[in-house]
Amino acid sequence: MIQHLIDGVLVGAIISLGAIGLTMVMHILRFANFSHAELLSVGAYAAFVLGPLIAGLSGALEAGIGPLSLSWAVALAVPLAMAITGATAVLLDRIVFQRVRAKGGELSMVFASFGVALVMRNVIGLIFGLSPHLYSRDIAFAQIISYDPLIMVKPDQVAVLVLALILMLALHLLLSRTTFGYSLRAVAENPDLAQVTGVDLKAAIRAVWLIGGALAAAAGVFYGLTNQIIPVMGRDLVLPIFAATIAGGIGSVYGAVLGGFLVGIAGNLALLVLPPGYTPSLPFVIIIAVLLLRPHGLFGEARA
Amino acid sequence: MPEALRLSGLVAGYRPDLPILRGIDLALEPGGMTAVVGPNGAGKSTLIKAIAGLVPISGGTVTRGGADITGLRPDRMAEHGMAYVPQTDNVFRGLTIRENLDLALRRAGRAAPERLARLQAMFPMLADKADIRGGALSGGQRQMLAVAMALATEPSLVMLDEPSAGLAPNITADVLAMARRLTEDGTTVLLVEQNVKQALALADRCIVLAEGRIEADGPATELREGTTLAEIFLGARRRVA
């Protein structure tokens, strides 16, 4: 039970990071971006490529950090992967979504995002192959922290959770303490008024894609670290991420964080009572349950 | 002295094939308050929004102080010394009063603390309730914050879109008086108002808009006394196409 809870918190942190970017983009640009989860793959593979390159600079970087299987090289690759993925998100907006937005409706955007997701997933598959990869061949041994009940935690999992929480805290400080953060909240709430108040709408939209992409990249690397890197990881994570976004309330960053943990923990606790084959259905159950009780999500507000 | 604003043959609307404004010619001298009144759907709000860059302009020009600002980007208004207070959703509900003001003062740089102090002196409520969210304010408080946000860039032309909308009658008078006070330092005020009687009592000049065209234009005192307004509002006067 406690073991499932701990595993759930970890998965939840990863889903939360993915859901934050999705909820911001969905709220500001008003479309369900089904390609968002593919940004996790972009980030994971970017770090997978950059890790060995950085290790090539100095052999010392190849070593794991303390008890972690995560090497210094891969750790240093994470911020770079975040930047690359953020830039990818901005580029996708410019090449695809901005053009569709100018001519089509919200539904066109949704279908375009499905198309973008397929293209991204298959390009990654073409380049890296369909078989899974790992950041490190070292086996990370789980540490037993309690025998009764038996609780095992991998050091990597602890590191991932701490890093995820640090990223969320950083975003919280950005949004709640800086005028740049206010401007993003302003655009999310009322784009016309934000412009009248002097906010450059296009720059704000770029910033949202950049932040969303960067957080997705971190989530992707963390997923790769605790599971494996595989081209279909986006497909596997898209539903939990959407469930977290909708359950939390579209547009609410804090809702997305809570929704992510909710989906992650519920998914793992469900293993106690349901056969594993049923767990993929759980995100839908959570969406339905939350929306029945609170039609705008846990933190969402009604909007026109 | 250059004009505060000049509109020449302005045609604007959300869709180019459905113009709401159908050829507006208007020049505003600096200073004083000009009220724009007219029946519902006359294009009063569209007029201000087109000037502010929020509604596409399909014909004509907007100039200010000799510079062409047709189709200006709304976030660049401050660079031309202009500010616009939208009708109802005019403060950020999810931001506190202080955050709303800090956002409006974002480009003020070093002058920001001094300007904040001045706005708080003008509206002490803004300092007293600094941590209250915009969504929790009363109608009158919301208008004060909205006006303060517009003044943050120290504009010389302030455009107000129906500041009395949704307010209780006794607060309407306060808010309109506040709009009038803005003119005391030479600021030009362009006021769109549904409350014709009160608008005419405060304004220097009045423009009557109907069906996207200017139907009457003159000193507010004249329109107050004449019968033109009643005729336009009751639909007795129709433009011959």
Side-chain angles (χ1 to χ4, degrees), chain A residues 16-109:
Chain A
S16 292
L17 285 179
I20 290 170
L22 179 64
T23 206
M24 288 170 80
V25 167
M26 265 173 95
H27 191 57
I28 292 183
L29 300 176
R30 300 179 188 217
F31 81 105
N33 179 12
F34 282 91
S35 68
H36 187 78
E38 305 306 322
L39 293 171
L40 273 74
S41 312
V42 173
Y45 277 95
F48 176 72
V49 172
L50 289 167
L53 288 179
I54 294 173
L57 298 174
S58 161
L61 295 173
E62 232 170 314
I65 304 171
L68 308 179
S69 75
L70 174 71
S71 69
W72 286 103
V74 173
L76 289 173
V78 173
L80 290 174
M82 288 172 73
I84 290 171
T85 312
T88 306
V90 173
L91 201 68
L92 281 174
D93 185 51
R94 176 156 308 173
I95 296 174
V96 183
F97 296 125
Q98 202 174 308
R99 291 162 197 258
V100 179
R101 198 155 61 228
K103 290 185 182 162
E106 286 173 23
L107 214 51
S108 315
M109 295 285 279

Side-chain angles (χ1 to χ4, degrees), chain B:
Chain B
M1 201 183 227
E3 287 153 338
L5 194 70
R6 174 178 281 276
L7 312 178
S8 311
L10 191 69
V11 179
Y14 292 93
R15 285 172 50 182
D17 53 331
L18 282 178
I20 299 171
L21 300 176
R22 298 185 283 178
I24 301 281
D25 292 295
L26 174 67
L28 290 187
E29 296 302 317
M33 177 191 270
T34 303
V36 180
V37 299
N40 281 334
K44 305 188 294 287
S45 293
T46 308
L47 177 68
I48 285 196
K49 284 185 184 170
I51 299 166
L54 290 170
V55 169
I57 293 172
S58 48
T61 57
V62 182
T63 53
R64 173 158 163 76
D68 188 341
I69 57 161
T70 315
L72 134 121
R73 259 172 52 181
D75 57 301
R76 297 268 172 86
M77 255 191 306
E79 292 167 24
H80 298 276
M82 293 159 68
Y84 158 61
V85 183
Q87 196 182 112
T88 41
D89 287 331
N90 51 17
V91 305
F92 296 105
R93 305 168 59 85
L95 270 57
T96 65
I97 288 188
R98 184 61 203 270
E99 288 170 344
N100 268 291
L101 288 172
D102 282 346
L103 180 64
L105 287 161
R106 194 154 74 114
R107 306 220 185 273
R110 281 185 194 169
E114 183 215 333
R115 284 194 201 171
L116 178 67
R118 200 174 331 150
L119 293 171
Q120 288 174 333
M122 201 167 163
F123 307 104
M125 181 277 295
L126 299 180
D128 301 341
K129 297 187 188 286
D131 296 323
I132 306 279
R133 284 185 187 274
L137 297 177
S138 71
Q141 291 170 335
R142 179 171 54 75
Q143 289 296 4
M144 283 187 215
L145 176 57
V147 170
M149 285 166 71
L151 297 180
T153 58
E154 306 208 312
S156 57
L157 170 63
V158 177
M159 301 183 285
L160 300 150
D161 190 358
E162 298 205 14
S164 71
L167 295 185
N170 55 332
I171 299 177
T172 300
D174 292 347
V175 167
L176 291 178
M178 170 175 79
R180 176 73 225 185
R181 274 199 302 279
L182 299 180
T183 61
E184 284 169 8
D185 64 354
T187 302
T188 313
V189 173
L190 184 62
L191 169 80
V192 161
E193 190 47 63
Q194 52 180 359
N195 200 319
V196 181
K197 215 170 166 185
Q198 280 175 307
L200 286 185
L202 288 168
D204 303 299
R205 176 180 170 192
C206 181
I207 286 155
V208 185
L209 217 58
E211 292 173 23
R213 291 189 174 92
I214 292 180
E215 287 290 328
D217 179 358
T221 44
E222 278 180 24
L223 280 160
R224 243 184 328 231
E225 279 141 27
T227 52
T228 331
L229 268 180
E231 285 170 10
I232 290 165
F233 274 86
L234 296 173
R237 237 172 68 152
R238 284 253 168 242
R239 172 178 286 269
V240 182

Side-chain angles (χ1 to χ4, degrees), chain A residues 121-201:
Chain A
R121 196 179 305 152
N122 286 294
V123 166
I124 290 172
L126 270 178
I127 298 173
F128 296 98
L130 298 176
S131 49
H133 295 279
L134 294 169
Y135 287 116
S136 163
R137 298 255 158 247
D138 300 344
I139 299 164
F141 289 103
Q143 317 256 324
I144 295 170
I145 56 173
S146 158
Y147 283 97
D148 186 29
L150 183 67
I151 300 171
M152 294 190 295
V153 175
K154 286 184 195 171
D156 282 346
Q157 294 179 317
V158 178
V160 160
L161 185 60
V162 169
L163 288 173
L165 291 174
I166 289 174
L167 284 174
M168 290 176 202
L169 181 71
L171 181 68
H172 164 72
L173 292 175
L174 177 80
L175 292 176
S176 66
R177 299 276 193 280
T178 67
T179 51
F180 173 69
Y182 303 165
S183 75
L184 296 185
R185 287 158 64 196
V187 167
E189 184 185 316
N190 186 341
D192 274 1
L193 181 60
Q195 287 191 82
V196 168
T197 315
V199 177
D200 181 344
L201 192 60

Side-chain angles (χ1 to χ4, degrees), chain A residues 268-280:
Chain A
N268 273 275
L269 290 182
L271 291 171
L272 293 171
V273 288
L274 286 175
Y278 285 97
T279 40

